[in-house]
Amino acid sequence: MDRAPDERDGESETGPGDAPEGASANRVGRRTVLGALAGAGSAAVAGCSGSEPDDAATSDLDTDRLDELAARFAPTLYFDSAEPWFPTDPRPYTVEEDGETVVDGFAAFDGYHERYDETGEPPNPTVFYNGMRYEDSPLAVVQFWMYSAFDQFTANFHWHDWEVLHVFVDLDTGDPQLYVASSHSRSVPNNEFLDPDPDVVPRILPELGSHSSTLSVNEIPDGFRRVGEEGLLADITNTTIDTVEDLLGIPIAYGLPRDEGARLPFVVPEYEGEPIYEHPDLPSVTEESLVDGALTIRSLDALRSPPTDLPLRETGIAYRHGERSGEDGTADDDGTGEDGTGEDGTADGDDAALADEVAESVVEYELVESAELEDISAFTGPQLSFEFAVPQAVEDAVAGHITTTGVPWEQPRYENPTLDVTAGNHRSELAARYDAIADDPSFGDDAAGALDDVVARVTRATETDEAPDGEGLTTTDAGVESFVLIESDPEAVPTFAGGVAVANGVPEGDHRLTVNGAGRTPHSETLTVSADEPVTRAGADGEIPLVAREDARKVELDDAESDADLTRTAVEDDFAGRIYDSAIDGSDAVYVHAGGAYTTEVRDADDEVGAYRVNPAADEAAAEEPIRIERPETGAAPLAGYVADVAEETRAAVAAAAAESDDGDDDDGSGGGGDGGGPSNAVNGLEKALAAAVEAAERAEERAREGDREGTDRQLENVVDRIARIEERLAAAREGLPPGLANATGKRIEQATKRVEQAQNSEKL
């Protein structure tokens, strides 16, 4: 798994002597070296084996040292201007239940907003910290835990929310080694940065509503950069999955969609079928308490097309530790710089100045040791749910339920923070530096051999100008992020970076993967995750094109009355190529764009093939009804029938184009060809060649259905000859055809050639 020569952990192309103004030249050079050290296995996402690494045990940090490190690395957080839920203290909302102390979801949600409304300021701004050191090692970790009363994410809203920043520190040198900021779930890689500048205060950019945390390490304090650009460092040093670099080619982590130019609509949370703000136990919660309505939709299927006017990210409130520096921005210690500042306290001063400059307002938070919360045994609340539509022959939906958040101090990562390191190159580097960290192949350099990731790029299907009007597609960037649900995990995975989907830790075996997006019809497929394949590509060779609801037609395939045992189906557009490919169990359904023209391929248990022509433009009278393929078959007969259908469809279009051309001829009847020749005659010749191919393909189908192998083969040879004649006629007729039709004819003849070859090789008539 060699890494591409130009892949350098996403950093900009500045060398050690070309550091951007204000950056550390040595640090840039060191990162380049470390990127090379990460090398072969940099692709892996930790945790793929399902087992835990054999790291050294941890113990509590000395109290004074913990307090010192916590004060030094306490992050500054830059929130979205529409953020409703800021880090707070959950203790005011505790209740006693069955002799245990719990935080009630209704009490926390309602109480938070009651306090916020009374003062007009975020209540009880607090960040909690915890510290561990690995035994017999200088490696320690300070964790910063942030609690929010609610999480409103389009497919993942829930009561309570805990996010964490891990700061790995070398106690001998005092230098930070790695930042790990939590993402949405263990299925989505965290945002991580190796060897951050020790003189820069850590900065976190929480995602609106969900609080998934991205890092900010460069000179843009409130903006996320996945890769280095314009002399700026990248904000993460996660690396690509090398085996699918041609598909993704970017550092894999959730990031911050609205900073990366992608739209992300938020959905109104519901409880028992009603908007949550209508619940009688939430009198202080109103519609205005949720994410701003300008960014919110009622449901994913409420729109006919994806939203295009959602605002991008703007910075609102900044949270910073209130005791880090004095009023003049200088350090509150003895000036030694041991708290992360220089002797003049410039790090703290710069941090304060940046926050004041870019934020609407700055809130100072209290830093509290999380040990003070450890008597809380649970964070409670009823389940909230979301629904994903799944296209099947009979439409249904799968509901996934999100439970309340867990208790941080009962999670394994609370005592062993390396469990939250999700980039294989980062674990490998920690293991190289510290004996306490296991050099576990399933978590490090050799992880690609056992990786169980499912990856895809979600795109948007639109009509192409290269095709006849309404009969050909292309795929473009999605523009709006989508959500992926794998049946083995009830937690939906958001796409990032404009449509990249990565699901980590998917068990070996067959899975149904479903993609939903605002204003788009759902996509669903069955895929197999195999231990023999390091990465499973979903979709058609890693791409999943979604269709706007207003442009969608449903294609249904039902083998209830068929003799074929169908196991797989695929759909190819004349211009966009294969856009759907899935294992099936007899029947299937897929949404296609009404402006495309398709070949639907089926395969059976014996790997025999059948093909059917689907052109929504020819079925406009029943545009609201599904296009059904009844009694699908495999073998030479349906393949020959397909060739006849596509040749006749093309012949009719060529004839119509010729007639239209004749209607526009001059009175001399030349047809634009001069002396009865030229393009007009060539078009007529093309039509005749297509008609001959139709007749030969129909005869081949008849012979196949009669069980006449010899006659079938003979007629298929005739079809091959007719196709060769079509190719000759097309070359001569291009000048006389509309460009789109000429292009389409060439594409369809390629399909016909492929299907004739399959018919000739088929053992089944």
Side-chain angles (χ1 to χ4, degrees), residues 76-78 221-222 315-320 325-329 348-364:
T76 298
L77 299 94
Y78 292 86
D222 62 337
T315 301
I317 292 176
Y319 258 44
R320 66 185 308 273
S325 63
E327 294 182 358
D328 61 354
D348 286 335
D350 288 348
D351 177 59
L354 284 171
D356 289 334
E357 179 181 346
V358 303
E360 294 176 359
S361 62
V362 178
V363 172
E364 294 186 347

Side-chain angles (χ1 to χ4, degrees), residues 119-136:
T119 64
E121 297 179 353
N124 304 103
T126 310
V127 171
F128 298 91
Y129 66 96
N130 178 55
M132 291 287 164
R133 72 170 299 168
Y134 287 87
E135 294 184 357
D136 301 320

Side-chain angles (χ1 to χ4, degrees), residues 153 169 280 648 753:
F153 191 52
V169 185
E648 172 56 26
T753 301

Side-chain angles (χ1 to χ4, degrees), residues 472-489:
L473 303 179
T474 186
T475 58
T476 61
D477 290 342
V480 178
E481 300 294 356
S482 303
F483 305 90
V484 179
L485 185 68
I486 296 178
E487 64 185 11
S488 59
D489 186 351

